[in-house]
Amino acid sequence: MSAAPGQMTPKLVTALESIDRWRQESDTEADREHAEISEEQERLQREIEERQATLESLATRKTEVEANKASLPGEQLSRRREAALKNLAGDRGLVAARGSLFGDQVKARERRVQELIEKPEYNKLVKEYEEFQDVEMGLDSLPKTYKQAILAHHSNVKKELGPVFEAMAADIEPVDAQGIGVAVVGSIDAPASGSPEALAVIIPTPFETCSKWSERAEDLASLIAYRVISCVGKMLAEVGAADAPLQYAEYENALAIQVWLGDSEVKGNLQRVLDDLIDEANGKAAEFEAGRLRLEMVWVEPEVVAPDEDADGGEG
Amino acid sequence: MATLDLFEKIRVSQIASSLDLHPFEVARLMGQAGGLPFTLAFDQNDIDRVRELAGVETWWGGNAPTVEDDIPGRGLVRSAAQMLLDREVVGGNTTRADNLFRGLDPADQFVVRRAVNHLIREEVLKSIPTSQGLHLQVDADKVKVLQGIADGSKIPSSLEELWS
């Protein structure tokens, strides 16, 4: 009879070994979890640091955006001023170039008249007409009958020269170029809730149309200036400020009309009235039609056109 | 004058020259009186119209009554004062400031202009801005002062300095 295998290792040993394994396994598990938690903590810490850095960066950016936003009105004013000056110079160039083409058309009309007066049927009459200009002043010293005879003859000569007068008064032929629009810049200075105190109107024509008018030809630039001034005069009459004093000044090589309204009682909307009058002038001016040119009022804040503090301005 | 000019109608600048005005004054006045025509070409009637609109008068000329005085500058100023009185530029009546100089040669214009400026500063004359430009007016209570200048009986010493 064989003996059944017995329990050779004491149960305590087995139990202690089991406890050791448990301990070992538990240590391992605790170490693993500890490591995981540490890793997660570090990750979160890094994330917090990154978020913090992002927050700080956002705060900095927010301050920058706020500062930028605060500077926008100034920047807008600066850009509007730059645009106004740049386009004023551009429009002055356009007017000068268009004036040259218009001048060519005026000369073409003169050539047609010249050709006409060189024709034999007019040539002698023109000479007589010219000579009359010299003798006219002395007519009063002649006997009445002589004077009457000369005047009657002169009247006949003038009548026969009718086609020459008509040719000289003929419409200027339109320029061979595309239509252009140029801006007349207007600005009204008024207290927050009150009547306008001053008006500035800047025309893209040289100031010399004012300061040297007697030395220069009456060209397209001069005619544009007359039209705008006429509109300003009419507008002032319509808003009850007919006697408002006007001054003419040089502004960035252009012509500026300055109107003092502080002593007038302005009734109505002068901006709208001037807009309408300029618009109306576009369709009622022979030189605009021939020059294929239109004016348009563009209104800006006074600060946009305020002269630089160190700039000099002449007055007409 | 070129031959072609004989056949051309009158321009704005020519109206201005003939009336001793600036073309911009002509443009403003015509604008206020209805606007500029389609073609900026005019005739003698337009010059007369602008003369009236502008209140242009020539006070100094062949028949202008002048005050005799040993000192030419003082004579001019006394004459100008008398002209203001003769034309009754008093109270509500005004006249263009440059009517007082128009027709004088430049040197004499200078003398009268200085005197007028002085009298404005002294408040004997009042300057009034109008659509025709600067106007002058004499307040009723200053007529005696002007009369004293005109007849030479009481010329302010400050005015005498202008020609002494």
Side-chain angles (χ1 to χ4, degrees):
Chain A
M1 174 178 170
S2 61
Q7 183 188 320
M8 296 308 292
T9 306
K11 282 189 176 181
L12 178 58
V13 172
T14 307
L16 288 176
E17 282 173 356
S18 174
I19 288 168
D20 286 346
R21 276 198 305 278
W22 161 81
R23 168 69 198 275
Q24 205 171 5
E25 284 169 8
S26 293
D27 270 348
T28 304
E29 178 58 21
D31 287 346
R32 186 193 58 75
E33 193 175 353
H34 187 274
E36 266 181 22
I37 290 170
S38 294
E39 200 175 310
E40 181 66 6
Q41 278 180 319
E42 280 170 23
R43 192 184 64 75
L44 286 173
Q45 189 60 42
R46 277 199 306 277
E47 201 169 305
I48 287 168
E49 284 169 6
E50 280 170 15
R51 292 285 170 109
Q52 190 62 41
T54 305
L55 272 176
E56 283 168 15
S57 169
L58 284 173
T60 306
R61 180 67 194 136
K62 192 176 181 183
T63 308
E64 284 171 5
V65 169
E66 283 168 357
N68 188 39
K69 183 174 165 59
S71 75
L72 285 180
E75 177 62 19
Q76 183 190 25
L77 180 65
S78 168
R79 289 184 185 204
R80 283 172 71 79
R81 186 175 168 79
E82 197 179 322
L85 295 182
K86 189 177 165 189
N87 286 286
L88 178 62
D91 281 354
R92 265 206 58 199
L94 276 179
V95 168
R98 194 46 55 104
S100 174
L101 295 177
F102 180 77
D104 290 344
Q105 298 299 74
V106 173
K107 282 184 192 133
R109 181 177 70 177
E110 288 174 356
R111 273 197 303 278
R112 287 193 289 276
V113 177
Q114 189 65 43
E115 282 162 18
L116 196 60
I117 63 178
E118 281 168 6
K119 287 185 177 174
E121 63 263 42
Y122 293 119
N123 197 260
K124 185 170 168 290
L125 292 169
V126 169
K127 275 193 183 138
E128 277 192 43
Y129 191 79
E130 250 180 319
E131 282 163 12
F132 176 78
Q133 311 304 316
D134 297 328
V135 300
E136 190 179 15
M137 279 185 291
L139 282 182
D140 284 341
S141 63
L142 295 175
K144 196 177 171 186
T145 49
Y146 276 55
K147 182 179 170 182
Q148 282 172 341
I150 291 172
L151 286 175
H153 179 68
H154 174 67
S155 178
N156 277 337
V157 170
K158 196 172 174 184
K159 200 173 168 186
E160 287 183 60
L161 284 171
V164 178
F165 282 101
E166 282 167 23
M168 197 64 185
D171 290 344
I172 303 288
E173 293 287 322
V175 298
D176 184 16
Q178 286 192 327
I180 53 167
V182 294
V184 174
V185 179
S187 179
I188 296 170
D189 207 342
S193 57
S195 274
E197 286 185 343
L199 164 73
V201 177
I202 302 161
I203 313 172
T205 56
F207 179 61
E208 286 73 19
T209 51
C210 173
S211 61
K212 294 185 178 167
W213 68 271
S214 58
E215 299 163 31
R216 65 195 297 283
E218 197 176 70
D219 57 5
L220 183 64
S222 305
L223 303 183
I224 290 171
Y226 298 159
R227 292 286 178 190
V228 176
I229 291 162
S230 165
C231 290
V232 169
K234 194 168 183 181
M235 175 274 291
L236 290 173
E238 286 187 17
V239 300
D243 288 333
L246 258 68
Q247 276 197 326
Y248 301 98
E250 182 163 20
Y251 178 83
E252 298 292 334
N253 302 316
L255 171 67
I257 309 171
Q258 298 169 330
V259 188
W260 172 246
L261 295 163
D263 298 322
S264 304
E265 272 190 47
V266 175
K267 293 168 191 145
N269 184 334
L270 65 84
Q271 187 171 330
R272 201 183 61 232
V273 175
L274 191 54
D275 278 347
D276 290 347
L277 289 171
I278 292 287
D279 202 38
E280 192 182 318
N282 280 321
K284 292 186 176 173
E287 67 279 3
F288 289 4
E289 208 168 276
R292 295 193 197 278
L293 171 137
R294 281 184 67 82
L295 301 181
E296 186 173 334
M297 283 302 304
V298 177
W299 295 93
V300 296
E301 313 87 298
E303 296 79 12
V304 172
V305 289
D308 288 335
E309 278 175 14
D310 57 345
D312 291 325
E315 283 176 4
Chain B
M1 180 186 270
T3 304
L4 287 183
D5 292 342
L6 291 173
F7 304 105
E8 193 176 16
K9 295 199 106 184
I10 297 167
R11 295 188 291 266
V12 172
S13 55
Q14 289 170 317
I15 295 179
S17 294
S18 68
L19 297 175
D20 201 11
L21 296 174
H22 192 287
F24 288 2
E25 288 182 88
V26 176
R28 179 185 184 181
L29 288 166
M30 290 187 116
Q32 286 192 196
L36 292 171
F38 180 72
T39 304
L40 298 180
F42 303 90
D43 55 31
Q44 183 59 42
N45 291 335
D46 295 304
I47 296 183
D48 296 338
R49 181 168 158 256
V50 173
R51 187 198 311 277
E52 197 174 322
L53 287 173
V56 167
E57 295 167 8
T58 304
W59 292 6
W60 302 87
N63 299 324
T66 52
V67 176
E68 293 296 324
D69 195 296
D70 296 340
I71 301 171
R74 188 168 61 194
L76 282 170
V77 175
R78 287 178 60 196
S79 299
Q82 190 60 53
M83 286 171 174
L84 285 167
L85 294 170
D86 291 346
R87 286 170 170 79
E88 297 179 340
V89 186
V90 181
N93 294 338
T94 66
T95 188
R96 288 180 66 94
D98 57 9
N99 282 342
L100 232 61
F101 330 126
R102 189 174 287 103
L104 285 172
D105 65 45
D108 290 345
Q109 278 196 18
F110 180 69
V111 174
V112 177
R113 197 183 290 268
R114 282 185 71 195
V116 166
N117 287 336
H118 182 83
L119 291 173
I120 290 172
R121 280 198 300 275
E122 295 292 312
E123 297 181 347
V124 176
L125 300 178
K126 196 190 276 183
S127 68
I128 303 166
T130 77
S131 58
Q132 296 175 339
L134 204 63
H135 268 221
L136 293 178
Q137 183 190 58
V138 185
D139 279 343
D141 60 347
K142 298 291 181 183
V143 170
K144 273 192 176 175
V145 180
L146 207 60
Q147 188 63 60
I149 295 169
D151 62 25
S153 63
K154 199 172 181 186
I155 297 177
S157 55
S158 55
L159 198 56
E160 293 271 13
E161 285 171 13
L162 296 181
W163 51 75
S164 60

